[in-house]
């Protein structure tokens, strides 16, 4: 079955440093989504990428979808303490019907 | 606008006791509904999903069951809880087949002692 892998599992940064998490699928995806879960909270939808090579930005967050539509990345520029949380990617394979979540990257930011 | 509710927010139950967690969605009709479990510091494990009333699919065989008695109500149950059932239970919905985006409820934190 479809597998979605995320690396790293954990990332500790100093406030102001950049952060990147990577998502890789074993199959070609119809789309990729990113969610953020704050400590003690529930996952919240951030963005969806659909097109091959697509890049989207939300303030300091940059999301990319690979040309082959099998990988994606989330990059945060100049992290802030408000960025703390776990970031999940989730994708649906082209021939599939359900979303598969990655294991998430847990980000901590030291002030 | 659509909202999703879960209750209770927290629950402490003894081993062997029954369980009933409820999820309701407002502001939409015929949603796809999902139950996930999240162990501490871990990812999301899909337990059940439903595309309609009384249409439940189980992803992981275990001592949990799910029911959907009404269009916007999804219930997670167990007859006898195990220690390994502890975790953060999340309900989510999405709007039919036109989108993949899921919206999560606030969750229920279950501790089995």
């Amino acid at each position: 079955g479809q597998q979605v892998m995320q690396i790293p599992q954990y990332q500790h940064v100093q406030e102001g440093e950049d952060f990147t998490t990577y998502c890789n699928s074993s199959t070609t995806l119809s789309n990729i989504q990113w969610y953020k879960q704050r400590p003690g909270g529930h996952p919240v939808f951030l963005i969806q990428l659909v097109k091959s090579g697509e890049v989207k930005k939300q303030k300091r967050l940059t999301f990319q979808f690979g040309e082959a539509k099998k990988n994606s990345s989330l990059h945060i520029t100049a992290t802030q303490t408000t960025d703390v949380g776990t970031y999940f990617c989730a994708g649906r394979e082209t021939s599939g019907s359900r979303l598969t979540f990655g294991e998430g990257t847990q980000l901590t930011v030291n002030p | 606008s659509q909202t999703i509710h879960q209750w209770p927010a927290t629950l402490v139950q003894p081993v062997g006791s029954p369980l009933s967690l409820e999820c309701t969605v407002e502001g939409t009709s015929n949603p796809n509904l999902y139950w996930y479990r999240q162990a501490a510091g871990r990812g999301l494990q899909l337990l059940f999903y439903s595309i309609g009333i009384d249409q439940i699919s189980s992803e992981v065989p275990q001592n949990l069951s799910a029911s959907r008695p009404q269009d916007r109500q999804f219930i997670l149950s167990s007859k006898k809880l195990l220690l390994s059932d502890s975790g953060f239970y999340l309900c989510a919905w999405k709007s039919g087949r036109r989108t993949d985006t899921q919206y999560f409820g606030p969750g229920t934190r279950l501790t089995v002692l």
Side-chain angles (χ1 to χ4, degrees):
Chain A
Q2 181 191 13
Q3 289 187 320
V4 177
M5 293 148 286
Q6 263 187 271
I7 55 169
Q9 187 175 356
Y10 303 98
Q11 185 76 60
H12 310 279
V13 299
Q14 287 295 127
E15 188 171 21
E17 292 181 340
D18 292 355
F19 159 77
T20 304
T21 174
Y22 300 91
C23 180
N24 294 287
S25 170
S26 56
T27 58
T28 303
L29 300 172
S30 175
N31 61 68
I32 191 87
Q33 305 191 356
W34 287 91
Y35 294 76
K36 177 183 179 181
Q37 184 178 23
R38 294 182 185 275
H42 59 277
V44 174
F45 172 74
L46 293 176
I47 207 161
Q48 175 175 278
L49 304 171
V50 179
K51 299 177 183 176
S52 170
E54 188 171 13
V55 178
K56 286 188 176 180
K57 292 190 175 184
Q58 288 181 348
K59 297 182 180 178
R60 294 177 295 103
L61 277 62
T62 302
F63 304 85
Q64 290 187 311
F65 199 10
E67 294 290 340
K69 300 184 75 172
K70 296 181 74 173
N71 55 71
S72 180
S73 65
L74 159 59
H75 179 81
I76 302 179
T77 303
T79 55
Q80 300 176 357
T81 54
T82 53
D83 295 325
V84 166
T86 301
Y87 293 85
F88 292 97
C89 64
R92 178 174 63 82
E93 59 182 352
T94 306
S95 58
S97 60
R98 293 203 310 278
L99 208 58
T100 300
F101 282 83
E103 283 291 306
T105 295
Q106 193 171 322
L107 173 65
T108 55
V109 180
N110 298 320
Chain B
S1 63
Q2 301 87 4
T3 55
I4 178 169
H5 304 278
Q6 284 187 249
W7 64 88
T10 60
L11 192 59
V12 180
Q13 292 284 96
V15 169
S17 64
L19 173 74
S20 180
L21 303 181
E22 190 163 343
C23 170
T24 58
V25 181
E26 296 178 355
T28 188
S29 59
N30 197 29
N32 286 12
L33 296 171
Y34 305 84
W35 277 113
Y36 291 89
R37 179 169 61 199
Q38 186 177 37
R42 303 298 300 276
L44 304 170
Q45 180 187 28
L46 179 63
L47 301 175
F48 301 94
Y49 71 95
S50 171
I51 61 172
I53 294 175
D54 294 331
Q55 298 180 65
I56 312 289
S57 295
S58 174
E59 289 296 299
V60 184
Q62 51 199 314
N63 69 321
L64 298 172
S65 61
S67 61
R68 186 170 176 175
Q70 301 179 43
D71 181 45
R72 289 169 289 176
Q73 183 185 31
F74 205 21
I75 297 172
L76 183 70
S77 304
S78 174
K79 292 182 179 179
K80 288 187 177 182
L81 283 169
L82 306 172
L83 286 173
S84 57
D85 291 324
S86 294
F88 191 38
Y89 288 82
L90 290 155
C91 180
W93 73 275
K94 79 175 182 82
S95 181
R97 299 178 64 180
R98 293 177 298 169
T99 176
D100 290 312
T101 302
Q102 294 185 16
Y103 299 94
F104 288 82
T108 295
R109 204 164 298 277
L110 171 67
T111 303
V112 182
L113 300 175

